[in-house]
Amino acid sequence: MNEHEQEDLLPAVTLGHFVMKVQDAEASYRFYIGLGLRAFGTFPGMGVVEMRGGTHLLLFQKGDDQAGALLNSQNGQRPDFSSEKIDLMIAGRTKADLESYRVGLICKGYSPSAIADGELYGHHYFSMQDPDGNGISFYTSHCSDKPV
């Protein structure tokens, strides 16, 4: 296989799982499905939703034996929230795409912030909180044109 053919292949790896501890796994499961993540399933003390690219968001119920074994951590790049954070990227690349997604969330009863003035590393973005107060930032995509 030549170098050009290798460049057209999917990346060798993807993020498999992103773990969050939540107060109510069922409520968080419904919340993230409402954002447009795909329902995967619920299990005792845990919900799993799927993101684009096949990454699974694992929602562990706080106080559950499984969640107790997980270390606390800080994730994400936005300092807007003091608790755990997650950065999500929509499929759209423009500010108009992001605004359309944001308006859709408002129509579903969510309360996102306004889209921030300016860009952050080439992204337009807005933020909101999940049922546990975890910060979520939504960004426009700047993925390459190659399959991801």
Side-chain angles (χ1 to χ4, degrees):
M1 178 179 308
N2 68 38
E3 184 177 324
H4 178 70
E5 289 172 328
Q6 287 180 330
E7 287 181 12
D8 290 336
L9 295 176
L10 292 173
V13 299
T14 186
L15 180 64
H17 302 102
F18 185 90
V19 177
M20 290 179 71
K21 294 182 194 178
V22 297
Q23 293 294 331
D24 183 335
E26 284 288 330
S28 292
Y29 183 75
R30 289 187 304 274
F31 175 87
Y32 283 98
I33 290 169
L35 297 180
L37 282 71
R38 182 180 296 138
F40 187 82
T42 58
F43 306 90
M46 180 183 157
V48 181
V49 292
E50 190 170 66
M51 296 185 260
R52 207 166 11 100
T55 299
H56 290 155
L57 176 58
L58 308 181
L59 304 163
F60 283 94
Q61 182 91 25
K62 288 181 180 177
D64 187 85
D65 289 342
Q66 294 179 91
L70 301 172
L71 296 175
N72 289 327
S73 66
Q74 290 291 327
N75 298 297
Q77 66 186 28
R78 299 291 305 138
D80 304 24
F81 302 100
S82 59
S83 62
E84 293 204 39
K85 302 169 215 74
I86 184 172
D87 294 346
L88 299 176
M89 199 177 324
I90 69 165
R93 295 175 179 264
T94 68
K95 188 174 183 179
D97 292 334
L98 187 63
E99 181 61 19
S100 178
Y101 178 78
R102 183 181 164 279
V103 168
L105 292 180
I106 292 169
C107 290
K108 293 179 183 180
Y110 291 93
S111 300
S113 70
I115 294 175
D117 292 332
E119 294 183 8
L120 181 67
Y121 303 112
H123 296 283
H124 293 285
Y125 68 94
F126 66 85
S127 300
M128 62 186 283
Q129 292 181 318
D130 76 2
D132 284 277
N134 293 313
I136 307 168
S137 294
F138 297 84
Y139 295 87
T140 51
S141 176
H142 64 187
C143 289
S144 69
D145 291 331
K146 297 175 183 163
V148 291

